[in-house]
Amino acid sequence: SLIRLKDLEVAKLGDSDVHVKMLAAPINPADINMIQGTYAILSPLPAVAGNEGVGEVLEVGRRVTALKPGDWVIPAGTGLGTWRTQGVFPAETLLKVPSDIPLLCAATLSVNPCTAYRMLADFETLAPGDSVIQNAANSGVGQAVIQIAKASGIKTINVVRDRPDLPKLVERLMALGADHVITEEMLRKPEMKDIFKSIPKPRLALNCVGGKSTTEMLRHLQPKGTMVNYGGMAKQPVMVPVSAFIFRDVRLRGFWMTQWKKDHAQDQESLTSMMDALCQLIRKGQLTAPACTEVPLQDYKTALEATMKPFTSSKQILLL
């Protein structure tokens, strides 16, 4: 296997460094893609995997003023290497988060909820009562979209793959605040019209699948609506009928959280205001961690295997 558990010396603490004890780190699809070498970012090897997680500050270098021992921190960017028990990182690679939010919320904060937040905010100006359609609605991003939209009064139509335990999944997503949960097959059925009797057609579609499900979602978009593509789980291209472009003037855009963070590196305000908004939702109980399975670090192989299985509805979290 490409991945091994290894004991390393903790690096010496520089003046601008922070010594962190990692507490918990999830396994996300992008982490797997990076390990496979199929992602847009490749770490020079040997590397510590993991792009997300939460840690506690043990010690800070003498020039560090923004952090102190006991603070909770999460990665500010991508490629930090969070699947470890301890690490020494430059202070600017870390973001302080409040330690009064649940551990698993903090561990899963910097990738999926941020992606959901930006996609809902940056592409269409949505008002209460508007609707959004998304596929892979049971993913980490999908669960965050449902909750953030609900808190803003935006309706969600959530597409999932048909599966053996479908009623259980539907119930779970409805409990998070989903307005409609449908299967990919239902997208093509005339009954879809019934949904749009009570809510308007979506102005925004969020796609992380590709292939047929995406083409079908696009058919339900309002004229001049936007589809944002942020993943390609089916490894199939996005096919758009030319008529959708000409007669309905739909827009296709892409979103990558890593790029957003790069683009806003000089604009700390935009990052902190997003984090504050998300932490507020968490405190109010309007945004929860995705369904999680907690796994001790030494059982990382089991966790990786579970992540690769089809129809996983639970995020594997390494406890460090």
Side-chain angles (χ1 to χ4, degrees):
S1 118
L2 289 166
I3 299 196
R4 289 187 201 80
L5 203 52
K6 214 170 155 202
D7 285 328
L8 301 172
E9 284 286 309
V10 175
K12 206 166 143 316
L13 186 74
D15 288 350
S16 308
D17 290 341
V18 179
H19 182 189
V20 177
K21 173 188 186 301
M22 291 303 297
L23 302 171
I27 301 179
N28 292 317
D31 300 326
I32 306 273
N33 295 147
M34 274 176 83
I35 292 162
Q36 292 167 334
T38 58
Y39 204 60
I41 299 174
L42 299 176
S43 304
L45 298 174
V48 178
N51 289 300
E52 190 178 35
V54 63
E56 183 187 328
V57 174
L58 294 178
E59 201 189 340
V60 300
R62 59 190 181 91
R63 286 213 201 103
V64 178
T65 52
L67 295 168
K68 59 183 190 307
D71 284 348
W72 275 15
V73 287
I74 63 174
T78 310
L80 192 68
T82 53
W83 300 353
R84 61 172 108 205
T85 53
Q86 294 190 24
V88 170
F89 308 106
E92 73 269 12
T93 62
L94 302 168
L95 276 181
K96 183 178 165 175
V97 290
S99 52
D100 65 345
I101 61 173
L103 179 73
L104 294 182
C105 287
T108 54
L109 181 61
S110 65
V111 178
N112 295 335
C114 290
T115 300
Y117 184 92
R118 296 264 56 107
M119 292 194 303
L120 287 169
D122 295 352
F123 294 92
E124 288 283 340
T125 313
L126 298 170
D130 283 343
S131 81
V132 172
I133 189 167
Q134 65 165 344
N135 55 22
N138 59 310
S139 67
V141 172
Q143 293 175 59
V145 164
I146 290 170
Q147 296 174 84
I148 296 166
K150 171 88 176 170
S152 324
I154 293 157
K155 309 281 183 209
T156 56
I157 302 157
N158 300 280
V159 186
V160 296
R161 286 182 296 175
D162 199 2
R163 63 193 64 217
D165 57 351
L166 184 66
K168 220 165 72 188
L169 176 61
V170 172
E171 194 181 321
R172 199 157 63 78
L173 297 183
M174 295 300 273
L176 288 181
D179 294 282
H180 297 277
V181 181
I182 58 173
T183 62
E184 291 185 348
E185 289 69 38
M186 263 192 70
L187 274 175
R188 311 190 234 302
K189 300 259 166 72
E191 292 87 280
M192 277 300 286
K193 287 198 185 71
D194 298 340
I195 288 181
F196 299 122
K197 282 177 185 155
S198 58
I199 63 173
K201 284 204 156 192
R203 304 228 317 264
L204 182 65
L206 307 176
N207 163 52
C208 78
V209 178
K212 226 187 202 132
S213 114
T214 308
T215 311
E216 296 296 338
M217 266 202 325
L218 203 65
R219 303 227 314 250
H220 301 295
L221 254 194
Q222 273 192 39
K224 294 198 186 323
T226 304
M227 174 178 275
V228 182
N229 301 280
Y230 70 99
M233 303 298 270
K235 298 187 168 54
Q236 299 281 315
V238 172
M239 306 288 271
V240 183
V242 174
S243 61
F245 281 128
I246 299 172
F247 302 120
R248 291 195 296 121
D249 192 15
V250 297
R251 271 176 290 213
L252 261 70
R253 301 284 309 270
F255 182 76
W256 187 31
M257 196 63 224
T258 301
Q259 189 62 46
W260 186 91
K261 283 183 176 163
K262 273 196 196 123
D263 294 346
H264 294 79
Q266 301 314 311
D267 172 17
Q268 274 306 297
E269 172 51 31
S270 60
L271 187 59
T272 49
S273 68
M274 167 170 66
M275 288 302 181
D276 290 348
L278 291 170
C279 288
Q280 285 293 58
L281 289 175
I282 291 168
R283 283 201 195 93
K284 288 186 195 151
Q286 293 177 307
L287 178 62
T288 54
C292 290
T293 306
E294 300 175 36
V295 183
L297 180 61
Q298 57 268 28
D299 299 342
Y300 72 94
K301 285 196 170 110
T302 322
L304 284 169
E305 275 160 24
T307 302
M308 311 283 280
K309 282 202 183 86
F311 302 124
T312 34
S313 283
S314 187
K315 196 171 276 296
Q316 305 291 310
I317 308 268
L318 299 170
L319 293 184
L320 310 159

